[in-house]
Tab-separated table of all heavy atoms in Angstrom:
chain	number	residue	atom	x	y	z
A	1	GLY	N	175.994	120.542	102.653
A	1	GLY	CA	174.896	119.923	103.331
A	1	GLY	C	175.241	118.496	103.832
A	1	GLY	O	176.413	118.090	103.700
A	2	VAL	N	174.304	117.851	104.500
A	2	VAL	CA	174.450	116.587	105.029
A	2	VAL	C	174.865	115.564	104.021
A	2	VAL	O	175.704	114.734	104.249
A	2	VAL	CB	173.157	116.208	105.790
A	2	VAL	CG1	173.266	114.738	106.282
A	2	VAL	CG2	172.845	117.110	106.885
A	3	LEU	N	174.210	115.614	102.786
A	3	LEU	CA	174.511	114.624	101.769
A	3	LEU	C	176.015	114.697	101.377
A	3	LEU	O	176.687	113.736	101.214
A	3	LEU	CB	173.664	114.732	100.564
A	3	LEU	CG	173.726	113.693	99.495
A	3	LEU	CD1	173.564	112.300	99.985
A	3	LEU	CD2	172.778	114.043	98.338
A	4	ALA	N	176.490	115.926	101.211
A	4	ALA	CA	177.824	116.068	100.770
A	4	ALA	C	178.926	115.526	101.802
A	4	ALA	O	180.003	115.145	101.453
A	4	ALA	CB	178.163	117.574	100.629
A	5	GLN	N	178.535	115.467	103.080
A	5	GLN	CA	179.403	114.958	104.088
A	5	GLN	C	179.559	113.473	104.059
A	5	GLN	O	180.567	112.941	104.518
A	5	GLN	CB	178.865	115.476	105.435
A	5	GLN	CG	178.908	116.878	105.687
A	5	GLN	CD	178.268	117.266	107.108
A	5	GLN	OE1	177.800	116.430	107.770
A	5	GLN	NE2	178.282	118.584	107.300
A	6	VAL	N	178.602	112.729	103.446
A	6	VAL	CA	178.674	111.231	103.397
A	6	VAL	C	179.080	110.834	102.032
A	6	VAL	O	179.142	109.591	101.832
A	6	VAL	CB	177.375	110.597	103.917
A	6	VAL	CG1	177.115	110.938	105.446
A	6	VAL	CG2	176.144	111.045	103.057
A	7	CYS	N	179.322	111.669	101.076
A	7	CYS	CA	179.598	111.273	99.745
A	7	CYS	C	181.144	111.213	99.542
A	7	CYS	O	181.884	111.852	100.316
A	7	CYS	CB	179.118	112.296	98.724
A	7	CYS	SG	177.366	112.302	98.590
A	8	SER	N	181.542	110.304	98.652
A	8	SER	CA	183.008	110.282	98.337
A	8	SER	C	183.175	110.362	96.786
A	8	SER	O	182.170	110.033	96.028
A	8	SER	CB	183.687	109.030	98.806
A	8	SER	OG	183.053	107.887	98.128
A	9	HIS	N	184.232	110.909	96.336
A	9	HIS	CA	184.413	111.137	94.949
A	9	HIS	C	185.411	110.127	94.441
A	9	HIS	O	186.495	109.912	95.004
A	9	HIS	CB	185.025	112.603	94.713
A	9	HIS	CG	185.245	112.957	93.284
A	9	HIS	ND1	186.456	112.755	92.718
A	9	HIS	CD2	184.463	113.276	92.305
A	9	HIS	CE1	186.464	113.145	91.410
A	9	HIS	NE2	185.152	113.506	91.218
A	10	LYS	N	185.031	109.419	93.314
A	10	LYS	CA	185.915	108.420	92.659
A	10	LYS	C	186.045	108.742	91.183
A	10	LYS	O	185.014	109.089	90.654
A	10	LYS	CB	185.390	107.045	92.905
A	10	LYS	CG	185.486	106.441	94.215
A	10	LYS	CD	185.000	105.015	94.112
A	10	LYS	CE	185.066	104.360	95.493
A	10	LYS	NZ	184.677	102.967	95.498
A	11	VAL	N	187.200	108.583	90.718
A	11	VAL	CA	187.455	108.648	89.259
A	11	VAL	C	187.599	107.316	88.782
A	11	VAL	O	188.450	106.492	89.226
A	11	VAL	CB	188.715	109.466	88.835
A	11	VAL	CG1	188.970	109.514	87.409
A	11	VAL	CG2	188.541	110.930	89.399
A	12	ILE	N	186.758	106.862	87.866
A	12	ILE	CA	186.716	105.466	87.355
A	12	ILE	C	187.100	105.524	85.902
A	12	ILE	O	186.522	106.189	85.030
A	12	ILE	CB	185.382	104.870	87.562
A	12	ILE	CG1	185.031	104.861	89.066
A	12	ILE	CG2	185.306	103.443	86.974
A	12	ILE	CD1	183.665	104.296	89.410
A	13	ASP	N	188.025	104.698	85.466
A	13	ASP	CA	188.565	104.716	84.155
A	13	ASP	C	187.513	104.079	83.168
A	13	ASP	O	186.784	103.149	83.603
A	13	ASP	CB	189.864	103.899	84.012
A	13	ASP	CG	191.030	104.559	84.739
A	13	ASP	OD1	191.073	105.794	84.782
A	13	ASP	OD2	191.907	103.854	85.201
A	14	ALA	N	187.502	104.537	82.037
A	14	ALA	CA	186.640	103.912	80.964
A	14	ALA	C	186.751	102.466	80.853
A	14	ALA	O	187.935	101.963	80.872
A	14	ALA	CB	186.848	104.636	79.590
A	15	GLY	N	185.708	101.723	80.764
A	15	GLY	CA	185.749	100.200	80.515
A	15	GLY	C	185.808	99.470	81.917
A	15	GLY	O	185.848	98.321	81.877
A	16	THR	N	185.930	100.227	82.976
A	16	THR	CA	185.942	99.561	84.359
A	16	THR	C	184.554	99.023	84.775
A	16	THR	O	183.568	99.856	84.715
A	16	THR	CB	186.466	100.532	85.291
A	16	THR	OG1	187.779	100.917	84.998
A	16	THR	CG2	186.617	99.868	86.775
A	17	MET	N	184.447	97.831	85.294
A	17	MET	CA	183.262	97.329	85.733
A	17	MET	C	183.091	97.818	87.156
A	17	MET	O	183.936	97.702	88.028
A	17	MET	CB	183.286	95.806	85.761
A	17	MET	CG	181.990	95.146	86.415
A	17	MET	SD	180.702	94.732	85.210
A	17	MET	CE	181.511	93.783	84.002
A	18	ILE	N	181.908	98.586	87.448
A	18	ILE	CA	181.676	99.133	88.787
A	18	ILE	C	180.993	98.119	89.649
A	18	ILE	O	181.454	97.963	90.867
A	18	ILE	CB	180.749	100.394	88.561
A	18	ILE	CG1	181.453	101.418	87.791
A	18	ILE	CG2	180.432	100.990	89.985
A	18	ILE	CD1	180.543	102.583	87.424
A	19	PHE	N	180.116	97.334	89.164
A	19	PHE	CA	179.541	96.232	89.939
A	19	PHE	C	178.847	95.274	88.954
A	19	PHE	O	178.631	95.583	87.823
A	19	PHE	CB	178.509	96.686	91.005
A	19	PHE	CG	177.320	97.463	90.427
A	19	PHE	CD1	176.179	96.702	89.942
A	19	PHE	CD2	177.315	98.805	90.417
A	19	PHE	CE1	175.141	97.478	89.407
A	19	PHE	CE2	176.235	99.533	89.887
A	19	PHE	CZ	175.142	98.818	89.349
A	20	SER	N	178.574	94.054	89.468
A	20	SER	CA	177.946	93.017	88.652
A	20	SER	C	176.547	92.803	89.062
A	20	SER	O	176.195	93.023	90.193
A	20	SER	CB	178.727	91.688	88.734
A	20	SER	OG	180.053	91.822	88.265
A	21	ALA	N	175.702	92.386	88.165
A	21	ALA	CA	174.281	92.125	88.383
A	21	ALA	C	174.213	91.074	89.505
A	21	ALA	O	174.871	90.084	89.569
A	21	ALA	CB	173.545	91.577	87.162
A	22	GLY	N	173.354	91.346	90.480
A	22	GLY	CA	173.133	90.322	91.544
A	22	GLY	C	173.919	90.614	92.816
A	22	GLY	O	173.629	90.016	93.850
A	23	GLU	N	174.867	91.530	92.680
A	23	GLU	CA	175.633	91.848	93.918
A	23	GLU	C	174.812	92.687	94.831
A	23	GLU	O	174.006	93.510	94.406
A	23	GLU	CB	176.921	92.731	93.578
A	23	GLU	CG	177.988	91.892	92.913
A	23	GLU	CD	179.193	92.780	92.546
A	23	GLU	OE1	179.198	94.002	92.855
A	23	GLU	OE2	180.159	92.266	91.977
A	24	PRO	N	174.970	92.558	96.143
A	24	PRO	CA	174.191	93.484	97.076
A	24	PRO	C	174.574	94.951	96.864
A	24	PRO	O	175.788	95.219	96.587
A	24	PRO	CB	174.635	93.007	98.503
A	24	PRO	CG	175.697	91.941	98.294
A	24	PRO	CD	175.818	91.641	96.805
A	25	GLY	N	173.643	95.831	96.918
A	25	GLY	CA	173.864	97.213	96.674
A	25	GLY	C	174.003	97.932	97.969
A	25	GLY	O	173.166	97.792	98.951
A	26	ASP	N	174.992	98.803	98.097
A	26	ASP	CA	175.214	99.550	99.277
A	26	ASP	C	175.654	100.988	98.911
A	26	ASP	O	176.125	101.712	99.779
A	26	ASP	CB	176.267	98.962	100.274
A	26	ASP	CG	177.644	98.850	99.644
A	26	ASP	OD1	177.768	99.256	98.398
A	26	ASP	OD2	178.513	98.358	100.339
A	27	SER	N	175.422	101.368	97.671
A	27	SER	CA	175.902	102.662	97.183
A	27	SER	C	175.007	103.234	96.146
A	27	SER	O	174.383	102.480	95.395
A	27	SER	CB	177.318	102.533	96.465
A	27	SER	OG	178.247	102.046	97.409
A	28	MET	N	174.930	104.536	96.104
A	28	MET	CA	174.238	105.257	94.987
A	28	MET	C	175.313	105.987	94.231
A	28	MET	O	176.301	106.531	94.789
A	28	MET	CB	173.225	106.229	95.627
A	28	MET	CG	172.580	107.124	94.627
A	28	MET	SD	171.439	108.266	95.348
A	28	MET	CE	171.316	109.527	94.138
A	29	PHE	N	175.221	106.003	92.968
A	29	PHE	CA	176.224	106.639	92.132
A	29	PHE	C	175.650	107.841	91.349
A	29	PHE	O	174.540	107.807	90.882
A	29	PHE	CB	176.788	105.617	91.117
A	29	PHE	CG	177.392	104.427	91.733
A	29	PHE	CD1	176.673	103.337	92.023
A	29	PHE	CD2	178.781	104.470	91.943
A	29	PHE	CE1	177.225	102.196	92.651
A	29	PHE	CE2	179.442	103.332	92.651
A	29	PHE	CZ	178.608	102.186	92.851
A	30	MET	N	176.389	108.887	91.314
A	30	MET	CA	176.076	110.097	90.486
A	30	MET	C	177.127	110.324	89.472
A	30	MET	O	178.395	110.135	89.761
A	30	MET	CB	175.910	111.261	91.344
A	30	MET	CG	174.735	111.181	92.414
A	30	MET	SD	174.478	112.566	93.427
A	30	MET	CE	173.558	113.630	92.180
A	31	ILE	N	176.809	110.637	88.251
A	31	ILE	CA	177.727	110.837	87.213
A	31	ILE	C	178.178	112.302	87.087
A	31	ILE	O	177.241	113.146	86.761
A	31	ILE	CB	177.242	110.344	85.807
A	31	ILE	CG1	176.563	108.990	86.002
A	31	ILE	CG2	178.246	110.357	84.777
A	31	ILE	CD1	177.459	107.853	86.453
A	32	VAL	N	179.389	112.629	87.288
A	32	VAL	CA	179.822	114.044	87.199
A	32	VAL	C	181.210	114.131	86.683
A	32	VAL	O	182.190	113.910	87.526
A	32	VAL	CB	179.659	114.801	88.626
A	32	VAL	CG1	179.985	116.236	88.361
A	32	VAL	CG2	178.369	114.535	89.204
A	33	PRO	N	181.565	114.211	85.542
A	33	PRO	CA	180.993	114.101	84.261
A	33	PRO	C	181.166	112.702	83.779
A	33	PRO	O	181.731	111.886	84.424
A	33	PRO	CB	181.591	115.172	83.328
A	33	PRO	CG	183.055	115.028	83.802
A	33	PRO	CD	182.923	114.829	85.301
A	34	GLY	N	180.661	112.449	82.578
A	34	GLY	CA	180.902	111.063	81.948
A	34	GLY	C	179.576	110.441	81.734
A	34	GLY	O	178.563	110.995	81.767
A	35	ALA	N	179.634	109.075	81.494
A	35	ALA	CA	178.475	108.247	81.288
A	35	ALA	C	178.788	106.833	81.701
A	35	ALA	O	179.936	106.394	81.676
A	35	ALA	CB	178.116	108.286	79.757
A	36	VAL	N	177.741	106.129	82.096
A	36	VAL	CA	177.838	104.707	82.444
A	36	VAL	C	176.873	103.914	81.705
A	36	VAL	O	175.645	104.326	81.650
A	36	VAL	CB	177.665	104.604	83.986
A	36	VAL	CG1	177.561	103.098	84.410
A	36	VAL	CG2	178.805	105.352	84.745
A	37	GLU	N	177.228	102.768	81.167
A	37	GLU	CA	176.341	101.861	80.508
A	37	GLU	C	175.855	100.810	81.464
A	37	GLU	O	176.801	100.105	82.067
A	37	GLU	CB	177.001	101.268	79.216
A	37	GLU	CG	176.128	100.450	78.425
A	37	GLU	CD	176.848	99.998	77.166
A	37	GLU	OE1	177.662	99.110	77.222
A	37	GLU	OE2	176.531	100.481	76.107
A	38	LEU	N	174.636	100.587	81.744
A	38	LEU	CA	174.112	99.597	82.595
A	38	LEU	C	173.581	98.429	81.709
A	38	LEU	O	172.703	98.596	80.942
A	38	LEU	CB	173.002	100.114	83.445
A	38	LEU	CG	173.322	101.346	84.360
A	38	LEU	CD1	172.116	102.005	84.942
A	38	LEU	CD2	174.392	100.976	85.407
A	39	PHE	N	174.165	97.292	81.944
A	39	PHE	CA	173.771	96.203	81.092
A	39	PHE	C	173.850	94.777	81.760
A	39	PHE	O	174.475	94.687	82.862
A	39	PHE	CB	174.757	96.093	79.862
A	39	PHE	CG	176.165	95.742	80.158
A	39	PHE	CD1	176.604	94.435	80.123
A	39	PHE	CD2	177.067	96.758	80.422
A	39	PHE	CE1	177.887	94.148	80.401
A	39	PHE	CE2	178.378	96.463	80.754
A	39	PHE	CZ	178.808	95.097	80.722
A	40	VAL	N	173.213	93.817	81.171
A	40	VAL	CA	173.406	92.453	81.696
A	40	VAL	C	173.693	91.591	80.422
A	40	VAL	O	173.658	92.094	79.258
A	40	VAL	CB	172.011	91.952	82.297
A	40	VAL	CG1	171.695	92.655	83.527
A	40	VAL	CG2	170.854	91.999	81.266
A	41	LYS	N	174.190	90.442	80.704
A	41	LYS	CA	174.420	89.505	79.553
A	41	LYS	C	173.399	88.345	79.627
A	41	LYS	O	173.062	87.826	80.654
A	41	LYS	CB	175.819	88.940	79.687
A	41	LYS	CG	176.933	89.954	79.333
A	41	LYS	CD	178.243	89.375	79.243
A	41	LYS	CE	179.172	90.544	78.837
A	41	LYS	NZ	180.527	90.000	78.600
A	42	ASP	N	172.893	87.956	78.416
A	42	ASP	CA	171.961	86.842	78.342
A	42	ASP	C	172.699	85.493	78.454
A	42	ASP	O	173.882	85.480	78.663
A	42	ASP	CB	171.006	86.950	77.186
A	42	ASP	CG	171.818	86.758	75.823
A	42	ASP	OD1	173.030	86.221	75.828
A	42	ASP	OD2	171.306	87.124	74.757
A	43	THR	N	172.001	84.411	78.422
A	43	THR	CA	172.568	83.099	78.597
A	43	THR	C	173.531	82.741	77.478
A	43	THR	O	174.447	81.913	77.699
A	43	THR	CB	171.448	82.029	78.621
A	43	THR	OG1	170.676	82.105	77.423
A	43	THR	CG2	170.589	82.177	79.801
A	44	ALA	N	173.461	83.430	76.325
A	44	ALA	CA	174.507	83.191	75.254
A	44	ALA	C	175.636	84.166	75.421
A	44	ALA	O	176.578	84.145	74.523
A	44	ALA	CB	173.755	83.426	73.923
A	45	GLY	N	175.686	85.019	76.403
A	45	GLY	CA	176.751	85.926	76.607
A	45	GLY	C	176.632	87.224	75.810
A	45	GLY	O	177.527	88.024	75.828
A	46	GLN	N	175.541	87.545	75.214
A	46	GLN	CA	175.274	88.710	74.502
A	46	GLN	C	174.876	89.855	75.476
A	46	GLN	O	174.066	89.593	76.358
A	46	GLN	CB	174.105	88.539	73.419
A	46	GLN	CG	174.494	87.502	72.312
A	46	GLN	CD	175.660	87.947	71.534
A	46	GLN	OE1	175.721	89.035	71.040
A	46	GLN	NE2	176.589	87.039	71.263
A	47	LYS	N	175.431	91.013	75.220
A	47	LYS	CA	175.151	92.147	76.044
A	47	LYS	C	173.817	92.729	75.735
A	47	LYS	O	173.483	93.033	74.594
A	47	LYS	CB	176.245	93.200	75.958
A	47	LYS	CG	176.073	94.399	76.804
A	47	LYS	CD	177.293	95.277	76.907
A	47	LYS	CE	177.610	95.997	75.627
A	47	LYS	NZ	178.679	97.036	75.758
A	48	ILE	N	172.983	92.969	76.724
A	48	ILE	CA	171.675	93.615	76.662
A	48	ILE	C	171.784	94.899	77.428
A	48	ILE	O	171.888	94.948	78.664
A	48	ILE	CB	170.596	92.753	77.226
A	48	ILE	CG1	170.498	91.467	76.456
A	48	ILE	CG2	169.245	93.504	77.076
A	48	ILE	CD1	169.590	90.446	77.091
A	49	VAL	N	171.803	96.093	76.737
A	49	VAL	CA	171.954	97.391	77.393
A	49	VAL	C	170.611	97.741	78.084
A	49	VAL	O	169.623	97.835	77.384
A	49	VAL	CB	172.452	98.487	76.431
A	49	VAL	CG1	172.443	99.820	77.151
A	49	VAL	CG2	173.781	98.128	75.882
A	50	LEU	N	170.630	97.906	79.339
A	50	LEU	CA	169.316	98.340	80.006
A	50	LEU	C	169.195	99.880	80.020
A	50	LEU	O	168.049	100.390	79.937
A	50	LEU	CB	169.440	97.884	81.527
A	50	LEU	CG	169.600	96.416	81.686
A	50	LEU	CD1	169.801	96.035	83.111
A	50	LEU	CD2	168.460	95.597	81.147
A	51	ASN	N	170.242	100.566	80.146
A	51	ASN	CA	170.176	102.081	80.198
A	51	ASN	C	171.663	102.615	80.039
A	51	ASN	O	172.591	101.955	80.399
A	51	ASN	CB	169.545	102.494	81.505
A	51	ASN	CG	169.086	103.911	81.508
A	51	ASN	OD1	169.147	104.581	80.470
A	51	ASN	ND2	168.570	104.438	82.653
A	52	THR	N	171.717	103.787	79.637
A	52	THR	CA	172.996	104.550	79.697
A	52	THR	C	172.716	105.844	80.434
A	52	THR	O	171.777	106.557	80.078
A	52	THR	CB	173.449	104.912	78.232
A	52	THR	OG1	173.682	103.677	77.511
A	52	THR	CG2	174.833	105.704	78.252
A	53	VAL	N	173.447	106.178	81.488
A	53	VAL	CA	173.236	107.320	82.350
A	53	VAL	C	174.439	108.234	82.148
A	53	VAL	O	175.573	107.733	81.948
A	53	VAL	CB	173.031	106.942	83.785
A	53	VAL	CG1	171.755	106.163	84.024
A	53	VAL	CG2	174.238	106.052	84.317
A	54	GLY	N	174.153	109.503	82.020
A	54	GLY	CA	175.150	110.462	81.768
A	54	GLY	C	175.239	111.559	82.866
A	54	GLY	O	174.679	111.390	83.918
A	55	MET	N	175.942	112.654	82.518
A	55	MET	CA	176.204	113.694	83.442
A	55	MET	C	175.012	114.131	84.263
A	55	MET	O	173.936	114.336	83.620
A	55	MET	CB	176.857	114.892	82.741
A	55	MET	CG	177.381	115.898	83.586
A	55	MET	SD	178.455	117.007	82.593
A	55	MET	CE	178.366	118.442	83.717
A	56	HIS	N	175.163	114.125	85.540
A	56	HIS	CA	174.010	114.616	86.545
A	56	HIS	C	172.987	113.491	86.724
A	56	HIS	O	172.063	113.740	87.412
A	56	HIS	CB	173.438	115.930	86.142
A	56	HIS	CG	174.459	117.019	86.151
A	56	HIS	ND1	175.123	117.463	87.207
A	56	HIS	CD2	174.853	117.795	85.000
A	56	HIS	CE1	175.965	118.414	86.866
A	56	HIS	NE2	175.793	118.637	85.548
A	57	ASP	N	173.065	112.394	86.023
A	57	ASP	CA	172.221	111.215	86.279
A	57	ASP	C	172.650	110.445	87.540
A	57	ASP	O	173.841	110.622	88.018
A	57	ASP	CB	172.140	110.272	85.040
A	57	ASP	CG	171.338	110.823	83.968
A	57	ASP	OD1	170.415	111.681	84.222
A	57	ASP	OD2	171.565	110.418	82.783
A	58	HIS	N	171.857	109.595	87.989
A	58	HIS	CA	172.234	108.700	89.161
A	58	HIS	C	171.723	107.292	88.900
A	58	HIS	O	170.798	107.102	88.170
A	58	HIS	CB	171.798	109.314	90.417
A	58	HIS	CG	170.239	109.522	90.521
A	58	HIS	ND1	169.338	108.538	90.766
A	58	HIS	CD2	169.583	110.723	90.209
A	58	HIS	CE1	168.121	109.079	90.763
A	58	HIS	NE2	168.238	110.327	90.326
A	59	PHE	N	172.256	106.347	89.616
A	59	PHE	CA	171.842	104.952	89.680
A	59	PHE	C	172.233	104.290	90.962
A	59	PHE	O	173.103	104.739	91.638
A	59	PHE	CB	172.315	104.214	88.388
A	59	PHE	CG	173.804	104.037	88.327
A	59	PHE	CD1	174.371	102.970	88.736
A	59	PHE	CD2	174.575	105.064	87.810
A	59	PHE	CE1	175.847	102.852	88.701
A	59	PHE	CE2	175.930	104.954	87.688
A	59	PHE	CZ	176.549	103.816	88.156
A	60	GLY	N	171.597	103.203	91.206
A	60	GLY	CA	171.891	102.359	92.479
A	60	GLY	C	171.102	102.838	93.681
A	60	GLY	O	171.244	102.168	94.708
A	61	GLU	N	170.285	103.818	93.580
A	61	GLU	CA	169.560	104.301	94.788
A	61	GLU	C	168.520	103.259	95.352
A	61	GLU	O	168.316	103.178	96.579
A	61	GLU	CB	168.850	105.664	94.448
A	61	GLU	CG	167.637	105.538	93.487
A	61	GLU	CD	168.071	105.518	92.007
A	61	GLU	OE1	169.242	105.472	91.692
A	61	GLU	OE2	167.077	105.432	91.242
A	62	LEU	N	167.901	102.458	94.456
A	62	LEU	CA	166.973	101.527	94.954
A	62	LEU	C	167.693	100.463	95.854
A	62	LEU	O	167.113	100.091	96.895
A	62	LEU	CB	166.250	100.888	93.797
A	62	LEU	CG	165.205	101.832	93.027
A	62	LEU	CD1	164.627	101.115	91.844
A	62	LEU	CD2	164.281	102.499	93.993
A	63	SER	N	168.784	100.027	95.348
A	63	SER	CA	169.496	98.961	96.177
A	63	SER	C	170.001	99.531	97.442
A	63	SER	O	170.026	98.852	98.494
A	63	SER	CB	170.683	98.380	95.368
A	63	SER	OG	170.225	97.697	94.282
A	64	LEU	N	170.407	100.724	97.413
A	64	LEU	CA	170.934	101.447	98.670
A	64	LEU	C	169.736	101.508	99.662
A	64	LEU	O	169.964	101.291	100.780
A	64	LEU	CB	171.437	102.829	98.249
A	64	LEU	CG	171.786	103.705	99.441
A	64	LEU	CD1	172.991	103.163	100.206
A	64	LEU	CD2	172.188	105.150	98.981
A	65	LEU	N	168.576	101.820	99.236
A	65	LEU	CA	167.429	102.032	100.119
A	65	LEU	C	166.848	100.679	100.599
A	65	LEU	O	166.559	100.597	101.832
A	65	LEU	CB	166.336	102.825	99.448
A	65	LEU	CG	166.694	104.255	99.082
A	65	LEU	CD1	165.561	104.920	98.228
A	65	LEU	CD2	166.962	105.066	100.319
A	66	ASP	N	166.796	99.685	99.776
A	66	ASP	CA	166.099	98.447	100.163
A	66	ASP	C	167.113	97.313	100.489
A	66	ASP	O	166.658	96.201	100.926
A	66	ASP	CB	165.045	97.945	99.192
A	66	ASP	CG	165.646	97.504	97.920
A	66	ASP	OD1	166.773	97.288	97.707
A	66	ASP	OD2	164.753	97.309	96.925
A	67	GLY	N	168.392	97.560	100.254
A	67	GLY	CA	169.429	96.539	100.624
A	67	GLY	C	169.413	95.387	99.618
A	67	GLY	O	170.099	94.450	99.750
A	68	GLY	N	168.682	95.523	98.510
A	68	GLY	CA	168.633	94.388	97.519
A	68	GLY	C	169.820	94.417	96.513
A	68	GLY	O	170.724	95.326	96.684
A	69	SER	N	169.771	93.648	95.569
A	69	SER	CA	170.869	93.643	94.529
A	69	SER	C	170.547	94.524	93.393
A	69	SER	O	169.433	95.110	93.253
A	69	SER	CB	171.079	92.181	93.974
A	69	SER	OG	169.859	91.729	93.372
């Protein structure tokens, strides 16, 4: 389909930062297979986990659509 024609496949190693909070978004990500932890750090540097997405989940679609971070 059309969506498959504009998608690219990347293998990302465990522990790799995909993007940082506040960066402009221009991509939607789908997990096939694996999992991604979405988190921010508070002012003290403590990690606050917002969500963990796994196989067949997706994230980043809102930034892709509205051009926000």
Side-chain angles (χ1 to χ4, degrees):
V2 174
L3 185 57
Q5 293 174 0
V6 296
C7 291
S8 63
H9 179 262
K10 288 185 180 181
V11 176
I12 299 175
D13 293 331
T16 300
M17 178 91 53
I18 299 171
F19 61 84
S20 296
E23 288 181 2
D26 64 357
S27 299
M28 176 178 158
F29 299 89
M30 297 185 78
I31 312 301
V32 189
V36 172
E37 187 175 72
L38 303 171
F39 67 90
V40 294
K41 290 191 177 183
D42 66 14
T43 55
Q46 297 296 312
K47 182 166 71 171
I48 301 169
V49 177
L50 304 173
N51 197 5
T52 300
V53 292
M55 190 164 157
H56 302 298
D57 285 334
H58 56 84
F59 62 96
E61 69 280 2
L62 294 178
S63 294
L64 176 62
L65 295 173
D66 70 11
S69 58

